[in-house]
Amino acid sequence: MEFLNRFFFDIYPYLAGTVFLVGSWLRYDYGQYSWRAGSSQMLSKKGMRLASNLFHIGIIGILLGHFVGLLTPHWVYEPFLTAGEKQLLAMGAGGVFGAMTLIGGALLLKRRLTNERVRATSSFADIMILTLLVVQAALGLTTILFSAQHLDGSEMLKLASWAQSIVTFHGGASQHLDGVAIIFRLHMVLGMTLFLLFPFCRLVHIWSAPVEYLTRRYQLVRNRR
């Protein structure tokens, strides 16, 4: 049991992170024709807008929340926000964005499995990664029930200490997780697994999001003749 604990929470994060970065780079270099979202909207638009918007807004909110919540040192927000208050904030925001991701993802998965035209163009990887994202959203929402049993923020501080130890390359990060409920561990392992699978599925299109359009000073438009 100790070996599994050390593997998944001391070694696996770096394994998943390395595959995530190196795999994405290699796929960009050698598989640019597969670097796409593979949208199926042109095949069937029914229910697509609602499901897609819920899913994408929800998942963006979750990623930003996890990034800020886990990697911000306690001393940064301690002067104006207690650990308990931060946890309540995380539970509320995580609940909203998590529910959006779960509902949107479930609708997209149902569409992909039941719509004949969409199913015909879906690969095993498409269905698998969407299923894992829905399961991950469900696990994340379930953790809120366990977080409610530690409203002093102690559980959140353990998770943040683990994440900060990982990104700063401090050894023994798994020690910060002593006493953490199994549901959090499952959520963490599946999250790292999604990063591991990232370069091998359609998720790579996230790297190509046209963010630069938000900061462009002008846009050239040709007159139609």
Side-chain angles (χ1 to χ4, degrees):
M1 192 67 179
E2 180 60 25
F3 168 76
L4 290 177
N5 184 57
R6 293 189 62 184
F7 172 76
F8 281 116
F9 303 108
D10 284 332
I11 301 172
Y12 194 51
Y14 297 111
L15 175 63
T18 300
V19 172
F20 169 70
L21 294 174
V22 177
S24 296
W25 170 59
L26 289 175
R27 183 167 176 186
Y28 180 76
D29 258 11
Y30 298 103
Q32 291 189 23
Y33 288 108
S34 66
W35 192 278
R36 58 189 177 83
S39 175
S40 59
Q41 186 171 357
M42 66 179 64
L43 299 176
S44 174
K45 295 184 178 181
K46 185 178 180 180
M48 180 65 176
R49 177 175 295 181
L50 174 63
S52 183
N53 285 338
L54 282 174
F55 180 73
H56 286 93
I57 294 173
I59 208 165
I60 290 171
I62 286 175
L63 288 174
L64 290 176
H66 277 66
F67 183 82
V68 174
L70 291 175
L71 299 183
T72 303
H74 180 57
W75 58 265
V76 173
Y77 59 83
E78 188 177 21
F80 55 88
L81 198 65
T82 67
E85 290 170 340
K86 183 188 175 187
Q87 180 167 308
L88 287 174
L89 181 63
M91 290 167 62
V96 172
F97 287 117
M100 292 174 68
T101 304
L102 180 61
I103 295 171
L107 290 173
L108 290 175
L109 182 59
K110 178 185 176 183
R111 174 178 175 272
R112 193 164 288 277
L113 291 174
T114 60
N115 187 299
E116 292 183 3
R117 298 182 67 190
V118 176
R119 179 64 185 270
T121 61
S122 299
S123 66
F124 171 77
D126 293 337
I127 296 173
M128 178 195 68
I129 203 67
L130 186 53
T131 301
L132 291 179
L133 287 169
V134 170
V135 171
Q136 179 70 336
L139 282 175
L141 288 172
T142 305
T143 64
I144 296 177
L145 301 177
F146 289 82
S147 295
Q149 301 174 24
H150 304 274
L151 292 179
D152 59 349
S154 58
E155 204 85 338
M156 179 198 65
L157 290 177
K158 291 179 181 180
L159 298 173
S161 297
W162 171 81
Q164 291 165 31
S165 293
I166 290 296
V167 298
T168 55
F169 300 98
H170 283 125
S174 61
Q175 297 175 9
H176 293 290
L177 299 177
D178 288 345
V180 170
I182 187 66
I183 188 68
F184 289 102
R185 295 174 183 269
L186 292 174
H187 186 57
M188 294 160 68
V189 171
L190 182 52
M192 290 182 283
T193 301
L194 287 169
F195 278 97
L196 185 75
L197 297 173
F198 183 95
F200 311 105
C201 62
R202 66 170 58 202
L203 290 179
V204 291
H205 79 277
I206 294 173
W207 289 120
S208 302
V211 178
E212 69 274 6
Y213 284 102
L214 298 177
T215 57
R216 288 183 63 172
R217 297 179 61 185
Y218 59 86
Q219 183 175 1
L220 294 177
V221 179
R222 291 184 178 182
N223 291 326
R224 181 179 297 175
R225 294 180 179 179

